[in-house]
Amino acid sequence: MNDLVRQHTALSESDLEWLHLLVSEWQLLSDLSFADLVLWVPTLDGTRYVSVAQMRPNTGPTSYHDDMVGHLVPRGRRPLLDAALDEGRIVREGDPEWREEVPVRVESIPVRREGRVLGVIGRNTNLLTVRTPSRLELTYLQSASDLAQMIAAGSFPFPGQQVDMDASPRVGDGLIRLDADGIVQYASPNALSAYHRLGLASDLVGHHLGQATAELAPSRGPVDEALVKLASGYAPRETEVEGSGGVIQLRAIPLKPKGTRIGSLVLCRDVTELRRRERELITKDATIREIHHRVKNNLQTVAALLRLQSRRMDSDQGREALNEAVRRVGSIAIVHETLSQNLDERVEFDEIADRVLAMVAEISPGKVTCRRTGRFGILDAEVATPLSMVLTEVLQNALEHAFAPGDEGTVEVSAVRGGTSAEARLLITVLDDGCGLPEGFDPKKAGNLGLQIVRTLVEGELGGTFDMVRGPERGTRVVLDIPVRPQK
Protein backbone atom coordinates (compact mmCIF):
# COMPACT_ATOMS: atom_id res chain seq x y z
CA MET A 1 0.00 0.00 0.00
CA ASN A 2 2.83 2.42 0.77
CA ASP A 3 4.28 2.11 -2.72
CA LEU A 4 0.91 2.53 -4.46
CA VAL A 5 -0.06 5.58 -2.41
CA ARG A 6 3.31 7.30 -2.88
CA GLN A 7 3.49 6.48 -6.57
CA HIS A 8 -0.03 7.39 -7.67
CA THR A 9 -1.53 9.83 -5.15
CA ALA A 10 -0.92 13.17 -3.47
CA LEU A 11 -1.63 11.95 0.07
CA SER A 12 0.72 12.98 2.85
CA GLU A 13 2.50 10.61 5.24
CA SER A 14 -0.03 11.39 7.97
CA ASP A 15 -2.86 10.55 5.54
CA LEU A 16 -1.11 7.30 4.72
CA GLU A 17 -0.86 6.46 8.42
CA TRP A 18 -4.62 7.03 8.73
CA LEU A 19 -5.24 4.59 5.88
CA HIS A 20 -2.99 2.04 7.58
CA LEU A 21 -5.00 2.48 10.77
CA LEU A 22 -8.22 1.97 8.82
CA VAL A 23 -6.92 -1.14 7.07
CA SER A 24 -5.85 -2.61 10.43
CA GLU A 25 -9.47 -2.30 11.58
CA TRP A 26 -11.62 -2.93 8.51
CA GLN A 27 -11.82 -6.71 8.86
CA LEU A 28 -14.46 -5.81 11.45
CA LEU A 29 -16.51 -3.84 8.88
CA SER A 30 -16.10 -6.56 6.26
CA ASP A 31 -17.33 -9.31 8.59
CA LEU A 32 -20.26 -7.27 9.89
CA SER A 33 -21.27 -6.36 6.32
CA PHE A 34 -20.79 -9.86 4.86
CA ALA A 35 -19.05 -7.94 2.09
CA ASP A 36 -15.75 -7.44 0.28
CA LEU A 37 -14.04 -4.11 0.81
CA VAL A 38 -11.76 -2.35 -1.68
CA LEU A 39 -10.07 0.95 -0.82
CA TRP A 40 -9.92 3.32 -3.79
CA VAL A 41 -7.79 6.47 -3.70
CA PRO A 42 -7.87 9.20 -6.41
CA THR A 43 -4.65 9.56 -8.39
CA LEU A 44 -2.46 12.66 -8.40
CA ASP A 45 -4.06 14.07 -11.57
CA GLY A 46 -7.61 13.29 -10.38
CA THR A 47 -8.52 11.35 -13.52
CA ARG A 48 -8.39 7.83 -12.07
CA TYR A 49 -8.71 5.74 -8.93
CA VAL A 50 -6.12 3.23 -7.72
CA SER A 51 -7.06 0.35 -5.42
CA VAL A 52 -4.55 0.21 -2.57
CA ALA A 53 -6.05 -2.44 -0.26
CA GLN A 54 -8.63 -5.22 -0.25
CA MET A 55 -10.41 -7.29 2.38
CA ARG A 56 -12.63 -10.36 2.07
CA PRO A 57 -15.22 -11.35 4.71
CA ASN A 58 -14.92 -14.32 7.01
CA THR A 59 -18.71 -14.41 7.40
CA GLY A 60 -19.88 -14.76 3.80
CA PRO A 61 -18.92 -15.54 0.19
CA THR A 62 -16.57 -13.22 -1.65
CA SER A 63 -17.62 -11.13 -4.64
CA TYR A 64 -14.03 -10.68 -5.85
CA HIS A 65 -12.14 -13.87 -6.64
CA ASP A 66 -9.26 -11.88 -8.16
CA ASP A 67 -6.83 -9.61 -6.37
CA MET A 68 -7.93 -6.01 -6.93
CA VAL A 69 -4.92 -4.27 -5.36
CA GLY A 70 -3.08 -2.12 -7.90
CA HIS A 71 -5.98 -1.80 -10.35
CA LEU A 72 -6.51 1.60 -11.97
CA VAL A 73 -10.04 2.72 -12.91
CA PRO A 74 -10.82 5.90 -14.89
CA ARG A 75 -13.04 8.44 -13.20
CA GLY A 76 -16.59 8.14 -14.54
CA ARG A 77 -16.56 4.37 -15.01
CA ARG A 78 -17.87 3.81 -11.46
CA PRO A 79 -20.36 6.59 -10.68
CA LEU A 80 -20.81 5.51 -7.07
CA LEU A 81 -17.12 6.17 -6.37
CA ASP A 82 -17.41 9.61 -7.96
CA ALA A 83 -20.50 10.52 -5.95
CA ALA A 84 -19.02 9.38 -2.63
CA LEU A 85 -15.77 11.26 -3.26
CA ASP A 86 -17.39 14.47 -4.52
CA GLU A 87 -20.31 14.63 -2.09
CA GLY A 88 -18.65 13.05 0.94
CA ARG A 89 -21.60 10.76 1.68
CA ILE A 90 -22.37 7.05 1.66
CA VAL A 91 -23.86 6.13 -1.73
CA ARG A 92 -26.13 3.11 -2.09
CA GLU A 93 -28.13 3.99 -5.21
CA GLY A 94 -28.23 1.73 -8.24
CA ASP A 95 -29.17 -1.81 -9.17
CA PRO A 96 -26.98 -4.81 -8.34
CA GLU A 97 -24.10 -5.51 -10.69
CA TRP A 98 -23.70 -8.93 -12.29
CA ARG A 99 -20.24 -10.47 -12.10
CA GLU A 100 -19.83 -13.94 -13.61
CA GLU A 101 -23.58 -14.60 -13.14
CA VAL A 102 -23.41 -13.47 -9.51
CA PRO A 103 -25.48 -10.44 -8.38
CA VAL A 104 -23.40 -7.99 -6.33
CA ARG A 105 -24.72 -5.02 -4.36
CA VAL A 106 -22.25 -2.14 -4.58
CA GLU A 107 -21.97 0.71 -2.06
CA SER A 108 -19.39 3.45 -1.60
CA ILE A 109 -18.21 4.82 1.74
CA PRO A 110 -16.05 7.98 1.82
CA VAL A 111 -12.96 7.81 4.03
CA ARG A 112 -12.68 11.12 5.86
CA ARG A 113 -9.85 12.52 7.92
CA GLU A 114 -9.86 15.98 9.48
CA GLY A 115 -12.63 17.13 7.16
CA ARG A 116 -11.01 15.86 3.93
CA VAL A 117 -12.08 12.79 1.94
CA LEU A 118 -8.95 10.73 1.32
CA GLY A 119 -10.55 7.93 -0.66
CA VAL A 120 -13.57 5.68 -0.98
CA ILE A 121 -14.28 2.17 0.30
CA GLY A 122 -16.16 0.07 -2.23
CA ARG A 123 -18.37 -2.35 -0.32
CA ASN A 124 -19.43 -5.28 -2.49
CA THR A 125 -21.94 -7.84 -1.21
CA ASN A 126 -22.48 -11.19 -2.91
CA LEU A 127 -26.29 -11.58 -3.13
CA LEU A 128 -26.30 -15.14 -4.42
CA THR A 129 -27.08 -16.60 -1.00
CA VAL A 130 -29.46 -13.89 0.20
CA ARG A 131 -32.25 -15.13 2.46
CA THR A 132 -34.37 -13.79 5.28
CA PRO A 133 -31.82 -12.46 7.79
CA SER A 134 -31.69 -13.77 11.35
CA ARG A 135 -31.50 -11.61 14.46
CA LEU A 136 -27.73 -12.09 14.48
CA GLU A 137 -27.41 -10.98 10.84
CA LEU A 138 -29.63 -7.95 11.40
CA THR A 139 -27.46 -6.93 14.36
CA TYR A 140 -24.34 -7.38 12.23
CA LEU A 141 -25.75 -5.24 9.42
CA GLN A 142 -26.94 -2.48 11.76
CA SER A 143 -23.54 -2.37 13.43
CA ALA A 144 -21.83 -2.27 10.03
CA SER A 145 -24.06 0.67 9.02
CA ASP A 146 -23.06 2.55 12.19
CA LEU A 147 -19.35 1.92 11.57
CA ALA A 148 -19.68 3.00 7.92
CA GLN A 149 -21.22 6.30 9.03
CA MET A 150 -18.36 6.79 11.51
CA ILE A 151 -15.80 6.20 8.73
CA ALA A 152 -17.62 8.72 6.53
CA ALA A 153 -17.61 11.23 9.41
CA GLY A 154 -13.92 10.67 10.21
CA SER A 155 -14.53 9.28 13.71
CA PHE A 156 -13.44 5.71 12.95
CA PRO A 157 -10.86 4.23 13.27
CA PHE A 158 -9.93 5.61 16.67
CA PRO A 159 -6.67 7.61 16.61
CA GLY A 160 -3.91 6.05 18.68
CA GLN A 161 -5.73 2.72 18.98
CA GLN A 162 -3.66 0.46 16.73
CA VAL A 163 -5.19 -3.01 16.95
CA ASP A 164 -3.44 -6.34 16.50
CA MET A 165 -6.13 -8.22 14.61
CA ASP A 166 -4.36 -11.53 15.15
CA ALA A 167 -4.68 -11.14 18.93
CA SER A 168 -7.97 -9.22 19.22
CA PRO A 169 -11.41 -10.86 19.25
CA ARG A 170 -13.18 -11.05 15.89
CA VAL A 171 -16.84 -10.79 14.99
CA GLY A 172 -17.30 -14.55 14.77
CA ASP A 173 -15.73 -15.11 18.20
CA GLY A 174 -18.63 -13.37 19.95
CA LEU A 175 -20.52 -10.08 19.60
CA ILE A 176 -22.59 -8.13 22.10
CA ARG A 177 -24.60 -5.02 21.15
CA LEU A 178 -25.21 -2.50 23.94
CA ASP A 179 -27.41 0.57 24.12
CA ALA A 180 -26.19 3.96 25.33
CA ASP A 181 -26.65 2.94 28.98
CA GLY A 182 -24.61 -0.26 28.64
CA ILE A 183 -27.66 -2.58 28.63
CA VAL A 184 -27.30 -5.67 26.44
CA GLN A 185 -29.61 -5.56 23.43
CA TYR A 186 -28.23 -8.64 21.71
CA ALA A 187 -25.61 -11.30 22.46
CA SER A 188 -24.49 -13.82 19.85
CA PRO A 189 -24.47 -17.52 20.80
CA ASN A 190 -20.65 -17.54 20.98
CA ALA A 191 -20.65 -14.49 23.26
CA LEU A 192 -23.23 -16.09 25.53
CA SER A 193 -21.19 -19.30 25.67
CA ALA A 194 -18.09 -17.32 26.63
CA TYR A 195 -19.92 -15.65 29.52
CA HIS A 196 -21.36 -18.98 30.63
CA ARG A 197 -17.77 -20.29 30.72
CA LEU A 198 -16.93 -17.31 32.90
CA GLY A 199 -19.66 -18.32 35.36
CA LEU A 200 -22.84 -16.54 34.17
CA ALA A 201 -25.94 -18.58 35.01
CA SER A 202 -28.54 -16.54 33.11
CA ASP A 203 -29.08 -14.74 29.79
CA LEU A 204 -27.24 -11.49 29.03
CA VAL A 205 -30.01 -9.59 27.24
CA GLY A 206 -31.49 -6.87 29.44
CA HIS A 207 -28.58 -6.87 31.89
CA HIS A 208 -25.96 -4.16 32.35
CA LEU A 209 -22.87 -5.75 30.80
CA GLY A 210 -20.34 -3.78 32.87
CA GLN A 211 -21.91 -4.72 36.19
CA ALA A 212 -22.46 -8.34 35.14
CA THR A 213 -18.83 -8.65 34.03
CA ALA A 214 -17.46 -7.07 37.21
CA GLU A 215 -19.54 -9.46 39.34
CA LEU A 216 -18.11 -12.47 37.48
CA ALA A 217 -14.52 -11.32 37.98
CA PRO A 218 -13.17 -12.38 41.38
CA SER A 219 -12.58 -9.39 43.65
CA ARG A 220 -11.95 -9.10 47.36
CA GLY A 221 -12.80 -5.43 47.53
CA PRO A 222 -15.40 -3.12 45.98
CA VAL A 223 -16.58 -3.53 42.39
CA ASP A 224 -13.90 -2.68 39.82
CA GLU A 225 -15.25 0.57 38.37
CA ALA A 226 -12.71 0.58 35.54
CA LEU A 227 -13.89 -2.86 34.41
CA VAL A 228 -17.51 -1.72 34.63
CA LYS A 229 -16.82 1.25 32.35
CA LEU A 230 -14.76 -0.79 29.89
CA ALA A 231 -17.34 -3.55 29.55
CA SER A 232 -20.02 -0.88 29.17
CA GLY A 233 -18.32 0.34 26.02
CA TYR A 234 -17.71 3.96 26.99
CA ALA A 235 -14.25 4.02 25.34
CA PRO A 236 -12.32 1.90 22.83
CA ARG A 237 -10.40 -0.48 25.08
CA GLU A 238 -9.35 -4.12 25.41
CA THR A 239 -9.01 -6.26 28.49
CA GLU A 240 -9.21 -9.81 29.79
CA VAL A 241 -11.55 -11.02 32.48
CA GLU A 242 -10.83 -14.17 34.46
CA GLY A 243 -13.61 -15.85 36.37
CA SER A 244 -13.88 -19.05 38.28
CA GLY A 245 -14.47 -21.10 35.15
CA GLY A 246 -12.42 -19.43 32.45
CA VAL A 247 -10.90 -16.38 30.79
CA ILE A 248 -12.52 -14.14 28.16
CA GLN A 249 -11.01 -11.35 26.12
CA LEU A 250 -13.11 -8.21 25.59
CA ARG A 251 -12.82 -5.40 23.09
CA ALA A 252 -15.18 -2.42 23.38
CA ILE A 253 -16.03 -0.24 20.35
CA PRO A 254 -18.22 2.83 21.01
CA LEU A 255 -20.74 3.55 18.23
CA LYS A 256 -21.10 7.23 17.33
CA PRO A 257 -22.57 7.33 13.81
CA LYS A 258 -23.79 10.92 14.20
CA GLY A 259 -21.26 12.19 16.72
CA THR A 260 -23.18 11.07 19.82
CA ARG A 261 -22.72 7.64 21.36
CA ILE A 262 -25.81 5.52 20.69
CA GLY A 263 -24.37 2.32 22.09
CA SER A 264 -21.39 0.02 21.76
CA LEU A 265 -20.13 -3.17 20.27
CA VAL A 266 -18.29 -5.55 22.57
CA LEU A 267 -16.36 -8.34 20.89
CA CYS A 268 -15.47 -11.24 23.14
CA ARG A 269 -13.50 -14.43 22.80
CA ASP A 270 -13.07 -17.39 25.08
CA VAL A 271 -9.30 -17.67 25.61
CA THR A 272 -9.42 -20.11 28.52
CA GLU A 273 -7.57 -22.94 26.75
CA LEU A 274 -5.11 -20.53 25.14
CA ARG A 275 -4.14 -19.02 28.50
CA ARG A 276 -3.94 -22.49 30.07
CA ARG A 277 -1.49 -23.60 27.37
CA GLU A 278 0.50 -20.39 27.81
CA ARG A 279 0.78 -21.05 31.54
CA GLU A 280 1.93 -24.60 30.80
CA LEU A 281 4.57 -23.27 28.42
CA ILE A 282 5.73 -20.73 30.99
CA THR A 283 6.01 -23.51 33.57
CA LYS A 284 7.86 -25.69 31.07
CA ASP A 285 10.25 -22.85 30.20
CA ALA A 286 10.90 -22.20 33.87
CA THR A 287 11.59 -25.90 34.42
CA ILE A 288 14.01 -26.04 31.50
CA ARG A 289 15.86 -22.95 32.72
CA GLU A 290 16.06 -24.45 36.21
CA ILE A 291 17.50 -27.67 34.75
CA HIS A 292 20.17 -25.71 32.86
CA HIS A 293 20.93 -23.78 36.04
CA ARG A 294 21.36 -26.98 38.04
CA VAL A 295 23.49 -28.60 35.31
CA LYS A 296 25.72 -25.50 35.35
CA ASN A 297 26.03 -25.71 39.14
CA ASN A 298 26.86 -29.43 38.98
CA LEU A 299 29.47 -28.84 36.27
CA GLN A 300 31.04 -26.08 38.35
CA THR A 301 31.15 -28.47 41.30
CA VAL A 302 32.88 -31.10 39.14
CA ALA A 303 35.36 -28.46 37.93
CA ALA A 304 36.06 -27.42 41.54
CA LEU A 305 36.69 -31.04 42.55
CA LEU A 306 39.05 -31.54 39.61
CA ARG A 307 40.85 -28.33 40.52
CA LEU A 308 41.27 -29.53 44.12
CA GLN A 309 42.56 -32.87 42.87
CA SER A 310 45.08 -31.20 40.57
CA ARG A 311 46.55 -29.26 43.48
CA ARG A 312 47.27 -32.53 45.26
CA MET A 313 48.98 -34.10 42.25
CA ASP A 314 52.76 -34.56 42.40
CA SER A 315 53.07 -35.16 38.67
CA ASP A 316 53.20 -32.03 36.48
CA GLN A 317 51.74 -34.01 33.59
CA GLY A 318 48.83 -35.24 35.69
CA ARG A 319 48.22 -31.75 37.08
CA GLU A 320 48.10 -30.29 33.56
CA ALA A 321 45.72 -33.04 32.39
CA LEU A 322 43.32 -32.23 35.21
CA ASN A 323 43.54 -28.51 34.46
CA GLU A 324 42.62 -29.22 30.83
CA ALA A 325 39.64 -31.21 32.06
CA VAL A 326 38.62 -28.25 34.25
CA ARG A 327 38.60 -25.95 31.22
CA ARG A 328 36.60 -28.44 29.15
CA VAL A 329 33.98 -28.76 31.86
CA GLY A 330 33.99 -24.99 32.32
CA SER A 331 33.26 -24.35 28.63
CA ILE A 332 30.16 -26.56 28.84
CA ALA A 333 29.08 -24.83 32.07
CA ILE A 334 29.23 -21.44 30.33
CA VAL A 335 26.71 -22.64 27.71
CA HIS A 336 24.32 -23.99 30.34
CA GLU A 337 24.59 -20.76 32.33
CA THR A 338 23.59 -18.79 29.21
CA LEU A 339 20.72 -21.19 28.46
CA SER A 340 19.43 -20.82 32.01
CA GLN A 341 18.82 -17.12 31.31
CA ASN A 342 16.99 -17.58 27.98
CA LEU A 343 13.38 -18.37 27.09
CA ASP A 344 14.31 -20.74 24.27
CA GLU A 345 17.02 -23.25 23.44
CA ARG A 346 19.06 -20.71 21.47
CA VAL A 347 21.96 -18.59 22.70
CA GLU A 348 23.91 -15.55 21.61
CA PHE A 349 27.26 -17.27 21.11
CA ASP A 350 29.44 -14.15 20.95
CA GLU A 351 29.22 -13.75 24.72
CA ILE A 352 30.13 -17.42 25.19
CA ALA A 353 33.09 -17.08 22.82
CA ASP A 354 34.40 -14.06 24.72
CA ARG A 355 34.16 -15.90 28.04
CA VAL A 356 35.94 -18.95 26.58
CA LEU A 357 38.68 -16.66 25.28
CA ALA A 358 39.11 -15.11 28.72
CA MET A 359 39.13 -18.50 30.45
CA VAL A 360 41.72 -20.04 28.12
CA ALA A 361 43.91 -16.91 28.10
CA GLU A 362 44.73 -17.62 31.74
CA ILE A 363 47.02 -20.49 30.67
CA SER A 364 49.08 -18.33 28.28
CA PRO A 365 52.81 -18.94 28.93
CA GLY A 366 53.75 -15.46 27.65
CA LYS A 367 52.21 -12.12 26.83
CA VAL A 368 49.69 -13.38 24.30
CA THR A 369 46.67 -11.27 23.33
CA CYS A 370 43.42 -13.05 22.48
CA ARG A 371 40.73 -11.23 20.49
CA ARG A 372 37.58 -11.93 18.49
CA THR A 373 36.36 -10.41 15.22
CA GLY A 374 33.05 -10.95 13.44
CA ARG A 375 29.90 -12.39 14.96
CA PHE A 376 28.88 -15.93 15.71
CA GLY A 377 25.28 -14.81 16.16
CA ILE A 378 22.49 -16.90 17.65
CA LEU A 379 23.04 -20.65 17.74
CA ASP A 380 20.95 -23.63 18.82
CA ALA A 381 21.94 -25.27 22.09
CA GLU A 382 22.89 -28.51 20.29
CA VAL A 383 25.40 -26.49 18.25
CA ALA A 384 26.57 -24.13 20.99
CA THR A 385 27.60 -26.84 23.49
CA PRO A 386 29.97 -28.85 21.25
CA LEU A 387 31.22 -25.66 19.57
CA SER A 388 32.23 -24.17 22.92
CA MET A 389 34.30 -27.31 23.60
CA VAL A 390 35.84 -27.17 20.13
CA LEU A 391 36.77 -23.52 20.59
CA THR A 392 38.27 -24.28 23.99
CA GLU A 393 40.43 -27.10 22.59
CA VAL A 394 41.65 -25.11 19.58
CA LEU A 395 42.54 -22.06 21.67
CA GLN A 396 44.15 -24.19 24.37
CA ASN A 397 46.21 -25.97 21.73
CA ALA A 398 47.36 -22.66 20.20
CA LEU A 399 48.41 -21.14 23.51
CA GLU A 400 50.22 -24.28 24.70
CA HIS A 401 52.13 -25.17 21.53
CA ALA A 402 52.50 -21.98 19.50
CA PHE A 403 54.25 -19.83 22.10
CA ALA A 404 57.19 -20.39 24.43
CA PRO A 405 57.33 -18.86 27.92
CA GLY A 406 57.88 -15.12 27.68
CA ASP A 407 56.83 -14.88 24.00
CA GLU A 408 54.57 -12.11 22.82
CA GLY A 409 51.94 -12.84 20.22
CA THR A 410 48.32 -12.77 19.15
CA VAL A 411 45.54 -15.31 18.76
CA GLU A 412 42.59 -14.08 16.73
CA VAL A 413 39.21 -15.80 16.43
CA SER A 414 37.07 -14.66 13.50
CA ALA A 415 33.53 -15.77 12.70
CA VAL A 416 31.57 -15.24 9.48
CA ARG A 417 28.04 -16.41 8.79
CA GLY A 418 27.07 -17.06 5.19
CA GLY A 419 25.42 -19.47 2.81
CA THR A 420 21.81 -19.53 1.63
CA SER A 421 18.72 -19.06 3.75
CA ALA A 422 18.05 -22.78 3.46
CA GLU A 423 21.62 -23.83 4.33
CA ALA A 424 23.37 -21.25 6.47
CA ARG A 425 26.96 -21.94 7.50
CA LEU A 426 29.37 -20.60 10.08
CA LEU A 427 33.01 -20.22 9.11
CA ILE A 428 35.36 -19.92 12.10
CA THR A 429 39.06 -19.17 11.76
CA VAL A 430 41.56 -19.29 14.64
CA LEU A 431 44.86 -17.70 13.60
CA ASP A 432 47.99 -17.35 15.73
CA ASP A 433 51.39 -15.85 14.94
CA GLY A 434 53.37 -18.41 16.90
CA CYS A 435 56.00 -20.94 15.86
CA GLY A 436 53.80 -22.75 13.35
CA LEU A 437 53.29 -26.45 12.62
CA PRO A 438 56.15 -28.95 12.58
CA GLU A 439 57.21 -30.46 9.28
CA GLY A 440 55.01 -33.30 8.10
CA PHE A 441 52.24 -32.54 10.61
CA ASP A 442 48.87 -34.02 9.61
CA PRO A 443 45.95 -32.83 11.80
CA LYS A 444 43.79 -35.75 10.66
CA LYS A 445 46.27 -38.28 12.03
CA ALA A 446 47.63 -36.42 15.06
CA GLY A 447 47.22 -38.36 18.26
CA ASN A 448 46.80 -35.30 20.50
CA LEU A 449 43.71 -35.76 22.68
CA GLY A 450 42.56 -32.19 22.11
CA LEU A 451 42.66 -32.56 18.31
CA GLN A 452 40.86 -35.91 18.56
CA ILE A 453 38.09 -34.18 20.51
CA VAL A 454 37.91 -31.41 17.90
CA ARG A 455 37.70 -33.86 14.97
CA THR A 456 35.05 -35.96 16.68
CA LEU A 457 32.84 -33.03 17.63
CA VAL A 458 33.18 -31.06 14.38
CA GLU A 459 32.82 -33.93 11.92
CA GLY A 460 30.64 -36.28 13.94
CA GLU A 461 28.35 -34.10 16.04
CA LEU A 462 28.27 -30.80 14.15
CA GLY A 463 28.43 -32.24 10.64
CA GLY A 464 31.15 -29.79 9.58
CA THR A 465 34.77 -29.79 8.45
CA PHE A 466 38.01 -29.12 10.29
CA ASP A 467 41.44 -28.19 8.90
CA MET A 468 44.74 -26.97 10.37
CA VAL A 469 47.36 -25.40 8.08
CA ARG A 470 50.28 -23.00 8.22
CA GLY A 471 49.39 -19.34 8.57
CA PRO A 472 49.73 -16.93 5.61
CA GLU A 473 53.00 -15.49 6.99
CA ARG A 474 53.76 -17.45 10.14
CA GLY A 475 51.94 -19.36 12.85
CA THR A 476 48.96 -21.67 12.42
CA ARG A 477 45.48 -21.28 11.02
CA VAL A 478 42.59 -23.52 12.08
CA VAL A 479 39.47 -23.42 9.90
CA LEU A 480 36.08 -24.76 11.06
CA ASP A 481 33.12 -24.84 8.66
CA ILE A 482 29.85 -25.96 10.25
CA PRO A 483 26.15 -25.81 9.19
CA VAL A 484 23.81 -23.77 11.40
CA ARG A 485 20.14 -22.92 11.42
CA PRO A 486 19.40 -19.52 9.79
CA GLN A 487 18.94 -16.62 12.19
CA LYS A 488 15.45 -15.10 12.50
Side-chain angles (χ1 to χ4, degrees):
M1 185 168 76
N2 287 352
D3 293 339
L4 289 171
V5 169
R6 290 167 181 158
Q7 179 182 355
H8 294 285
T9 77
L11 297 181
S12 65
E13 290 298 317
S14 57
D15 292 335
L16 179 57
E17 286 301 317
W18 182 263
L19 295 184
H20 274 293
L21 189 60
L22 172 65
V23 169
S24 72
E25 291 272 26
W26 71 344
Q27 180 73 65
L28 174 64
L29 177 62
S30 178
D31 290 345
L32 290 172
S33 304
F34 308 98
D36 290 73
L37 305 179
V38 179
L39 178 57
W40 299 93
V41 180
T43 57
L44 184 61
D45 57 10
T47 62
R48 296 180 296 176
Y49 298 95
V50 59
S51 59
V52 298
Q54 179 179 0
M55 179 58 67
R56 293 184 175 91
N58 294 319
T59 52
T62 183
S63 57
Y64 280 121
H65 294 283
D66 298 327
D67 188 2
M68 295 296 296
V69 175
H71 281 215
L72 290 165
V73 175
R75 184 178 172 88
R77 179 175 295 180
R78 301 193 177 184
L80 297 186
L81 293 181
D82 298 339
L85 183 68
D86 297 339
E87 301 173 21
R89 64 181 180 88
I90 299 175
V91 182
R92 297 191 177 93
E93 296 88 351
D95 296 326
E97 296 180 2
W98 287 84
R99 299 176 189 164
E100 299 179 356
E101 300 183 354
V102 175
V104 177
R105 183 174 63 241
V106 181
E107 303 166 86
S108 295
I109 305 167
V111 178
R112 192 183 303 274
R113 174 180 179 264
E114 296 180 352
R116 296 180 300 112
V117 177
L118 307 182
V120 179
I121 295 176
R123 182 163 57 177
N124 304 268
T125 307
N126 187 326
L127 300 177
L128 195 62
T129 58
V130 168
R131 53 183 175 79
T132 302
S134 64
R135 177 73 187 281
L136 180 144
E137 292 167 332
L138 288 173
T139 302
Y140 276 20
L141 293 172
Q142 180 58 52
S143 302
S145 177
D146 294 335
L147 285 178
Q149 292 182 57
M150 292 170 65
I151 292 173
S155 58
F156 186 83
F158 303 109
Q161 292 289 325
Q162 188 77 29
V163 175
D164 183 359
M165 293 305 298
D166 292 332
S168 294
R170 299 198 176 199
V171 170
D173 295 326
L175 179 141
I176 302 172
R177 174 86 186 213
L178 309 179
D179 64 12
D181 297 322
I183 305 301
V184 178
Q185 294 179 313
Y186 176 79
S188 71
N190 283 347
L192 193 58
S193 296
Y195 266 82
H196 284 166
R197 182 76 176 267
L198 199 63
L200 182 71
S202 61
D203 196 0
L204 273 174
V205 176
H207 290 79
H208 191 280
L209 184 65
Q211 295 176 357
T213 303
E215 290 172 0
L216 293 171
S219 176
R220 297 179 181 177
V223 174
D224 188 344
E225 294 295 336
L227 180 58
V228 172
K229 289 185 177 181
L230 188 147
S232 300
Y234 288 105
R237 295 287 187 274
E238 288 192 38
T239 191
E240 285 190 6
V241 180
E242 183 170 359
S244 57
V247 184
I248 64 172
Q249 188 179 16
L250 298 178
R251 183 190 175 197
I253 304 168
L255 297 176
K256 303 177 181 179
K258 296 182 180 179
T260 303
R261 194 174 71 87
I262 63 168
S264 307
L265 286 181
V266 177
L267 304 181
C268 61
R269 178 172 60 169
D270 184 353
V271 292
T272 304
E273 294 303 315
L274 179 63
R275 297 296 175 260
R276 181 185 63 80
R277 288 195 296 270
E278 287 179 351
R279 284 193 287 267
E280 289 178 352
L281 288 174
I282 291 173
T283 303
K284 179 181 177 182
D285 288 340
T287 302
I288 292 174
R289 289 199 298 273
E290 178 63 22
I291 289 172
H292 284 302
H293 181 71
R294 293 189 181 188
V295 170
K296 183 264 296 184
N297 288 344
N298 290 338
L299 289 172
Q300 288 181 337
T301 301
V302 172
L305 292 174
L306 291 173
R307 197 175 292 111
L308 287 173
Q309 186 67 38
S310 71
R311 293 171 183 169
R312 296 174 179 270
M313 293 287 293
D314 296 329
S315 167
D316 292 340
Q317 186 176 4
R319 186 183 303 109
E320 183 56 33
L322 286 176
N323 287 334
E324 288 183 3
V326 168
R327 287 188 287 273
R328 288 165 185 152
V329 172
S331 66
I332 302 174
I334 291 173
V335 177
H336 282 282
E337 181 179 3
T338 305
L339 287 169
S340 70
Q341 300 168 1
N342 291 349
L343 293 176
D344 55 15
E345 290 292 289
R346 309 192 77 190
V347 296
E348 180 64 60
F349 196 80
D350 296 305
E351 178 186 351
I352 294 175
D354 291 340
R355 293 180 63 179
V356 169
L357 275 168
M359 177 181 68
V360 177
E362 295 176 358
I363 70 169
S364 173
K367 298 178 181 180
V368 180
T369 301
C370 297
R371 63 170 179 258
R372 171 180 63 85
T373 61
R375 290 191 68 250
F376 289 85
I378 299 174
L379 299 178
D380 292 335
E382 57 264 28
V383 174
T385 301
L387 182 57
S388 68
M389 286 194 65
V390 168
L391 195 58
T392 300
E393 295 298 332
V394 172
L395 290 170
Q396 191 168 273
N397 188 73
L399 292 172
E400 285 184 352
H401 302 291
F403 303 99
D407 286 353
E408 294 185 4
T410 302
V411 177
E412 181 177 301
V413 179
S414 67
V416 178
R417 293 187 77 134
T420 64
S421 59
E423 187 179 351
R425 304 192 72 82
L426 178 61
L427 182 66
I428 305 168
T429 304
V430 180
L431 178 64
D432 68 66
D433 56 1
C435 62
L437 295 174
E439 291 293 332
F441 180 81
D442 185 355
K444 296 183 179 179
K445 297 180 180 179
N448 180 289
L449 176 60
L451 291 181
Q452 289 182 8
I453 293 174
V454 171
R455 285 199 302 270
T456 300
L457 292 177
V458 172
E459 297 173 359
E461 192 163 340
L462 294 174
T465 60
F466 158 69
D467 196 13
M468 178 181 284
V469 297
R470 290 182 179 275
E473 297 180 0
R474 55 176 298 186
T476 306
R477 180 170 63 184
V478 177
V479 180
L480 309 170
D481 185 1
I482 60 175
V484 294
R485 196 168 78 178
Q487 287 181 286
K488 295 182 179 178

